[in-house]
Amino acid sequence: MQDAFPWAHQASFSIQMLASLRELNHRFLDLAAVHNEQLKLPPEAAAYLARLSAPERSAAADCPYALFDLRFHDDAHWRVRLGESWHVADEVPVADDVTAFTRLALFYAWHLAATPKQGAQLWLGMAESTAAAFRGVSLDRVPALAVSEAVNLSARWSTSTFYWRALTAAAARGDPRRLRRVQLFGLQLGAARLLP
């Protein structure tokens, strides 16, 4: 599907970074099929997702943006979490696989925020000030963040039942053109979030 999103090549984004994002998306969809309530997936979409085969989930995950969210758009939250007065919060009981995914997602976010391009904003929906805060954090702090932030892991656009139902339905039908249209709609949702 790389040809479907030529802007990714024009913006000189690393093919490896995009491939890593797609892998994270696929892992997230696998998690969401099991932990859909915790990850705030709309109930109807969760039912569709649970029925998707591994190749169908892979097709759904083939987006040039994250299907998961860790409140990356919430600048105030991350300012506190990444600021000088940062402390590890009390652990909230979260499944081990959710915490492991959160750790991977935060490492990815940290790395993406450190690139000179706007990948963190485009792919993760991260506020620029949050990306700057991530750039100022040492890699050593990321694992501890994962323990406390796993409770915030959710489906991106979790309130958009339409988006999630359309994505899972298009993947289940195996219609690449329809799936591309839904994925382009996701780009619009992400761009809308970045507007002032």
Side-chain angles (χ1 to χ4, degrees):
M1 172 109 10
Q2 291 171 352
D3 297 336
F5 302 105
W7 63 269
H9 297 293
Q10 294 169 356
S12 303
F13 290 118
S14 162
I15 297 300
Q16 293 82 10
M17 291 294 288
L18 191 54
S20 295
L21 178 62
R22 289 175 175 146
E23 287 175 26
L24 282 170
N25 280 342
H26 195 181
R27 282 179 177 234
F28 177 77
L29 292 178
D30 289 344
L31 270 182
V34 176
H35 302 288
N36 58 55
E37 202 168 294
Q38 178 183 343
L39 301 180
K40 302 171 187 80
L41 199 65
E44 186 178 327
Y48 273 111
L49 182 60
R51 291 191 297 265
L52 292 181
S53 67
E56 291 167 342
R57 280 190 198 150
S58 182
D62 193 16
C63 299
Y65 49 81
L67 293 174
F68 56 89
D69 189 28
L70 282 162
R71 297 177 65 174
F72 290 128
H73 62 280
D74 188 346
D75 180 51
H77 171 79
W78 285 105
R79 198 172 326 121
V80 170
R81 301 299 292 139
L82 299 172
E84 292 292 327
S85 62
W86 179 82
H87 299 287
V88 175
D90 292 334
E91 285 189 42
V92 177
V94 175
D96 290 343
D97 52 351
V98 173
T99 302
F101 177 85
T102 301
R103 186 175 301 109
L104 285 174
L106 286 173
F107 275 121
Y108 183 81
W110 177 84
H111 181 70
L112 197 58
T115 64
K117 302 163 193 82
Q118 292 186 323
Q121 291 89 338
L122 293 171
W123 293 355
L124 301 175
M126 187 180 283
E128 170 53 38
S129 53
T130 302
F134 264 91
R135 285 190 290 274
V137 170
S138 71
L139 185 60
D140 293 342
R141 287 184 50 197
V142 175
L145 272 174
V147 172
S148 59
E149 291 302 314
V151 70
N152 292 318
L153 180 63
S154 67
R156 194 164 179 196
W157 310 305
S158 60
T159 58
S160 180
T161 301
F162 174 80
Y163 170 79
W164 282 99
R165 184 178 52 222
L167 180 68
T168 53
R173 287 188 180 97
D175 182 349
R177 293 180 69 182
R178 183 176 179 156
L179 187 57
R180 186 178 326 152
R181 280 194 301 274
V182 175
Q183 291 168 334
L184 289 171
F185 177 60
L187 287 174
Q188 292 173 331
L189 288 173
R193 176 74 76 142
L194 296 174
L195 295 174

